[in-house]
Amino acid sequence: MNLTTKSASRAALVTATVTVSLSASLILASSASAATTLGAAAAQTGRYFGAAVSAGKLGDSTYTTVLNREFTSVTAENEMKWDATEPNRGQFNHTSGERVLAQAASTGKQVRGHALLWHQQQPGWAQRLSGSDLRQAAINHVTRVATHYRGKIHSWDVVNEAFADGGGGGRRDSNLQRTGNDWIEAAFRAARAADPNAKLCYNDYNTDGVNAKSTGIYAMVRDFKARNVPIDCVGFQSHLTNSVPSDYQANLQRFAALGVDVQITELDISGANQTAVYGSVTRSCLAVPRCTGITVWGIRDTDSWRTGQNPLLFDGNGNKKPAYTAVLDALNAGGTTTTTTTTTTTTTTGPAPSTCTASASVNSWTGGFTATVKVTAGSTALRGWRVTTSLPPGTTVTNAWSADRSGDSGTVTWTDVDHNGSVAAGRSAEFGFLGTGSVADLAPTCAGS
Ligand code: XIL
């Protein structure tokens, strides 16, 4: 549940969020002194302030000193991308991503996941795939990575940079796009099923003002909301040079009006007007209640991917630049208050179990059969499921896929495996098995959690 509250702009608002069951309330109080770090200043209006972080730099004490002092959110700069997480098909490596996550968790920061699907930084094997094979690999990637990090990611960039530059407002050509226009919604659905509590974002660049590209994305988000495709947020990378479009705030606001959060996800600004533009971008976010946070794409100028452009808030020695002060002052000046309330389902008695149904279809031949069992979630998402089937005497299970089982004959209990325990409300997972003997009705039952 998302709750946004507008309040008058005034200096140094202090926000506390009280979560009681499924509701949130907001307490505002004035505070005597301005906050002295980006994270604390942003928190006064309920926002986070984040940075892109490289696992390889976590041993650098200048870097971690600034990171830990200033930021309340991190994004892994490269460690959660497809080439890093699935270097070979079906073989996952989360070592570096886990390092970024662990450092964040141990210092109380939230994590933005970046990015499940993108036309760049794909492993070689995926670049060579096409059609249904690529589609299947891509959705499997989303499911497996989002499942791995389930419950630990505040927001996922599910799809990155899928729209074309230039005047058309349409999709970018890519191997993913050539699998069919519905690849983006398929990715969002798979991400929701894998990690129901993460906010799911679409993220792109050159979308900072109202232009053909941002309008194409706007139409997609509106369509997703109308058709209940799960999308919670839109990320504006905001890699800027010397200026920001005059309609930046209006653009953020029009997306927010569709019922999604907006986030500034990769901010860096080069050029002589850097300080003023940083201040202006920060004020725009603060003016939009659903602009829930800002992430800068690196810490020191020397950490930036824009080599030689010095587009960040700290110099190479970790000293604060004038741009830092502009951002801090803008945050301390306050703005609309945003509170994003995570749905709290933890109670002393635990959450009510989710309901599910199971149905089975059987293909028989003399002496054997295969069965396919479909597990369908009720009106709430499943975190896991357990199915029983009744096998008549003389029948034995010899092989099974996509479920663990308790035995081979009689009443067999089947439980979800890593990739198919999370099932969104109303959606289904499948498993199957092979047996000897003959069955007519497996009489499946389902229990959810
Ligand atoms: C960049 C990283 O900063 C570099 O280290 C890497 O070599 C290339 O990617 N848009 C995005 C980010 O979504 O993932 C990109 O990050 C910058 C542009």
Side-chain angles (χ1 to χ4, degrees):
M1 185 196 330
N2 235 329
L3 187 116
T4 52
T5 311
K6 244 183 216 178
S7 81
S9 169
R10 67 179 152 131
L13 295 175
V14 173
T15 307
T17 307
V18 179
T19 306
V20 181
S21 185
L22 300 178
S23 70
S25 61
L26 185 70
I27 299 163
L28 300 175
S30 51
S31 144
S33 60
T36 57
T37 65
L38 299 170
Q44 295 170 126
T45 57
R47 293 176 172 83
Y48 66 83
F49 205 98
V53 161
S54 264
K57 292 178 182 161
L58 292 174
D60 173 340
S61 65
T62 308
Y63 185 81
T64 51
T65 298
V66 179
L67 170 62
N68 291 340
R69 187 186 68 220
E70 299 288 343
F71 298 99
T72 50
S73 170
V74 304
T75 306
E77 187 172 357
N78 290 297
E79 292 77 354
M80 295 187 188
K81 292 173 180 173
W82 199 350
D83 58 350
T85 51
E86 196 180 359
N88 299 299
R89 188 169 187 172
Q91 200 184 86
F92 292 83
N93 183 343
H94 297 296
T95 311
S96 299
E98 286 288 353
R99 283 180 65 197
V100 174
L101 187 82
Q103 204 279 344
S106 69
T107 51
K109 305 180 210 314
Q110 61 189 46
V111 179
R112 294 194 81 263
H114 174 81
L116 292 170
L117 293 179
W118 187 22
H119 65 283
Q120 286 187 22
Q121 291 181 268
Q122 294 183 359
W125 63 266
Q127 292 176 37
R128 291 187 288 272
L129 295 183
S130 62
S132 58
D133 201 14
L134 174 61
R135 172 66 71 92
Q136 199 268 326
I139 297 305
N140 182 58
H141 179 76
V142 170
T143 300
R144 293 288 301 269
V145 176
T147 300
H148 176 85
Y149 287 111
R150 171 164 47 194
K152 297 176 182 158
I153 301 292
H154 177 274
S155 301
W156 262 116
D157 290 332
V158 178
V159 170
N160 197 32
E161 302 184 354
F163 276 71
D165 291 306
R171 299 284 181 87
R172 166 195 302 282
D173 178 50
S174 72
N175 58 346
L176 290 164
Q177 182 60 30
R178 290 191 291 270
T179 70
N181 208 48
D182 62 341
W183 72 277
I184 298 183
E185 60 195 83
F188 275 83
R189 290 198 166 101
R192 178 70 96 227
D195 187 356
N197 291 325
K199 287 188 176 291
L200 306 181
C201 304
Y202 175 82
N203 191 52
D204 215 327
Y205 68 94
N206 280 354
T207 52
D208 308 302
V210 175
N211 58 33
K213 185 173 177 179
S214 65
T215 300
I217 296 164
Y218 177 84
M220 177 186 76
V221 175
R222 190 178 50 194
D223 170 57
F224 279 12
K225 293 303 266 183
R227 292 190 295 114
N228 283 325
V229 177
I231 184 167
D232 307 305
C233 38
V234 176
F236 298 81
Q237 293 185 10
S238 305
H239 296 294
L240 299 171
T241 302
N242 221 27
S243 66
V244 59
S246 57
D247 53 7
Y248 187 74
Q249 183 180 318
N251 191 45
L252 297 178
Q253 185 57 56
R254 74 170 173 155
F255 276 87
L258 293 175
V260 287
D261 287 346
V262 293
Q263 303 177 3
I264 298 171
T265 51
E266 303 183 16
L267 183 62
D268 49 18
I269 307 170
S270 65
N273 293 328
Q274 175 178 79
T275 299
V277 179
Y278 260 111
S280 164
V281 167
T282 306
R283 282 188 294 276
S284 292
C285 178
L286 285 162
V288 176
R290 291 197 76 147
C291 182
T292 59
I294 299 176
T295 299
V296 285
W297 204 244
I299 297 177
R300 301 162 299 193
D301 282 336
T302 44
D303 299 318
S304 174
W305 69 305
R306 297 169 69 180
T307 310
Q309 296 184 37
N310 301 325
L312 294 173
L313 300 176
F314 296 86
D315 70 17
N317 296 318
N319 298 314
K320 298 168 183 174
K321 293 167 58 182
Y324 170 95
T325 309
V327 172
L328 186 69
D329 289 351
L331 293 171
N332 273 324
T336 61
T337 300
T338 178
T339 91
T340 302
T341 307
T342 313
T343 304
T344 307
T345 45
T346 318
T347 66
T348 43
T349 52
S354 304
T355 57
C356 56
T357 55
S359 60
S361 66
V362 177
N363 252 324
S364 301
W365 58 90
T366 311
F369 66 93
T370 60
T372 306
V373 182
K374 192 168 166 183
V375 178
T376 303
S379 56
T380 55
L382 298 174
R383 284 158 297 222
W385 46 261
R386 197 172 67 244
V387 167
T388 64
T389 52
S390 302
L391 293 174
T395 52
T396 308
V397 177
T398 54
N399 204 350
W401 51 94
S402 301
D404 291 325
R405 69 180 186 275
S406 63
D408 295 333
S409 56
T411 301
V412 179
T413 302
W414 306 86
T415 46
D416 62 271
V417 288
D418 208 24
H419 67 275
N420 64 5
S422 289
V423 184
R427 301 190 64 83
S428 303
E430 268 187 7
F431 68 93
F433 55 97
L434 189 66
T436 54
S438 113
V439 291
D441 178 12
L442 288 166
T445 69
C446 188
S449 61

